Amino acid sequence: MNFDEFFGNFPALTITGLEQGAIYALVALGYTLVYGVLRLINFAHSEVFMVGTFTALWTWEALGYNQNSPSPAFGALLIALLAGLVVAALASAVTAVTVELVAYRPLRKRNAPPLAFLITAIGASFVLAESFGIGTSRAPFGMPNLIPQETLFTVFGAAVTNVQLIILGVTLVMMVGLDQFVNRSRLGRGIRAVAQDADTAALMGVNKNRVILLVFVLGGLMAGVAALLWNVRYGYTKFNVGFLIGLKAFAAAVLGGIGNLRGALLGGLLLGVAENYAAGLFGGDWKDFTGFVLLVVLLMFRPTGLLGESLGRARA
């Protein structure tokens, strides 16, 4: 244990952990939305995120940017980021909807057992990942350096960069927007009704299949936004880039209380900070290990997660 390094870098570890946790949280929202409505762990969601990273990259390449391109002027930068965001979000949403229509809906029509859904989810994940693996020769791809990291200010001696503020700001905006949509809009009431009791909601005129499609669209949109932020921050993608991110996002959703939107945000931020603290205290090799240990220990004492309220019982 290196306590001197840990306490010396405590503010920096916290800021970086919040930045990483914000990306986990956006991906976790997709897991928690689908589970809240269908009681299904959509393991293919990690590949929905992966699709977003690639489509954002291809959009930037279509606009003429590559790894060697200089950083664009503000106007061109804004166009590139907005184009990448829109394309990544739409591509991830379309991928998520395709998985629902092709893989899950036929199983629901046949009243398949839960194990069939679980196996199908894992299979869909591998199909998407391996399809991109074959198409990209399993090679990593670097991103254009659209936003050079610059220190804007310091907090207790720790630098806060423009990219970190963008990631945290976008995550909070998306989280608040989704929370308000689910809790206050007419479509959001339909989501909560199906999550609470699908049969009763159908008797009240709620179209269950339409609500399920909406849930997959929303989850895909969140994953697409997370994919763009990942590209900007970490600067690479690969066919299996979603595997570990998906596991951590799922852990974050369970940590906060799967089925709870605000719990996904809290779980993601907490997991990111805990990983960074462990890396500072024990070394980088302990980073991934610690997050899952934290999850197991917490669930031993609070099986429903930190905020364990289900999506169907969320208050307007």
Side-chain angles (χ1 to χ4, degrees):
M1 293 186 184
N2 192 338
F3 286 103
D4 290 337
E5 181 178 346
F6 174 72
F7 288 111
N9 295 320
F10 185 82
L13 291 171
T14 303
I15 293 169
T16 307
L18 291 173
E19 169 196 24
Q20 293 173 346
I23 295 177
Y24 296 161
L26 281 175
V27 181
L29 288 171
Y31 285 105
T32 213
L33 277 167
V34 172
Y35 181 84
V37 171
L38 289 176
R39 295 297 184 267
L40 165 68
I41 306 299
N42 179 24
F43 284 113
H45 190 61
S46 56
E47 275 55 59
V48 171
F49 165 82
M50 177 270 295
V51 169
T53 64
F54 273 103
T55 50
L57 170 62
W58 295 336
T59 300
W60 292 334
E61 289 179 343
L63 293 174
Y65 298 103
N66 56 50
Q67 286 181 274
N68 300 317
S69 300
S71 299
F74 179 77
L77 170 63
L78 194 60
I79 292 173
L81 289 177
L82 287 175
L85 178 65
V86 170
V87 173
L90 289 177
S92 293
V94 168
T95 303
V97 169
T98 301
V99 170
E100 145 64 9
L101 294 176
V102 174
Y104 301 143
R105 182 169 293 188
L107 294 179
R108 288 202 310 276
K109 288 181 178 179
R110 292 170 173 79
N111 294 316
L115 182 60
F117 284 92
L118 177 62
I119 295 172
T120 300
I122 296 172
S125 174
F126 275 98
V127 166
L128 287 170
E130 289 302 313
S131 296
F132 273 75
I134 294 170
T136 62
S137 301
R138 302 181 183 275
F141 291 82
M143 299 290 165
N145 186 23
L146 296 178
I147 309 178
Q149 293 201 50
E150 299 176 358
T151 299
L152 300 181
F153 55 90
T154 60
V155 177
F156 298 109
V160 178
T161 68
N162 51 348
V163 172
Q164 289 171 332
L165 282 184
I166 289 171
I167 290 174
L168 290 172
V170 170
T171 298
L172 289 176
V173 168
M174 297 302 294
M175 175 65 225
V176 170
L178 180 62
D179 185 73
Q180 293 299 304
F181 176 82
V182 170
N183 285 322
R184 297 187 181 279
S185 71
R186 181 172 176 271
L187 292 174
R189 286 195 296 271
I191 292 174
R192 288 184 286 123
V194 173
Q196 190 166 13
D197 190 328
D199 293 333
T200 302
L203 292 174
M204 299 296 292
V206 177
N207 187 317
K208 178 181 175 181
N209 285 329
R210 191 173 298 169
V211 166
I212 292 171
L213 273 182
L214 175 61
V215 164
F216 276 90
V217 167
L218 292 174
L221 291 175
M222 297 298 117
V225 175
L228 178 98
L229 297 178
W230 169 272
N231 287 358
V232 170
R233 174 62 181 87
Y234 295 102
Y236 83 96
T237 188
K238 196 178 180 183
F239 76 99
N240 61 354
V241 70
F243 178 74
L244 189 57
I245 299 298
L247 285 178
K248 290 183 178 181
F250 174 63
V254 175
L255 190 64
I258 192 163
N260 187 303
L261 297 179
R262 297 170 189 177
L265 177 64
L266 177 62
L269 296 177
L270 180 60
L271 184 62
V273 170
E275 284 185 347
N276 258 28
Y277 286 168
L281 191 58
F282 303 110
D285 292 340
W286 290 78
K287 182 177 180 179
D288 297 332
F289 170 83
T290 304
F292 294 106
V293 169
L294 173 66
L295 174 65
V296 171
V297 171
L298 177 69
L299 293 181
M300 288 172 61
F301 298 98
R302 190 171 177 83
T304 58
L306 292 172
L307 300 182
E309 180 182 292
S310 68
L311 183 66
R313 297 181 183 276
R315 296 177 182 176

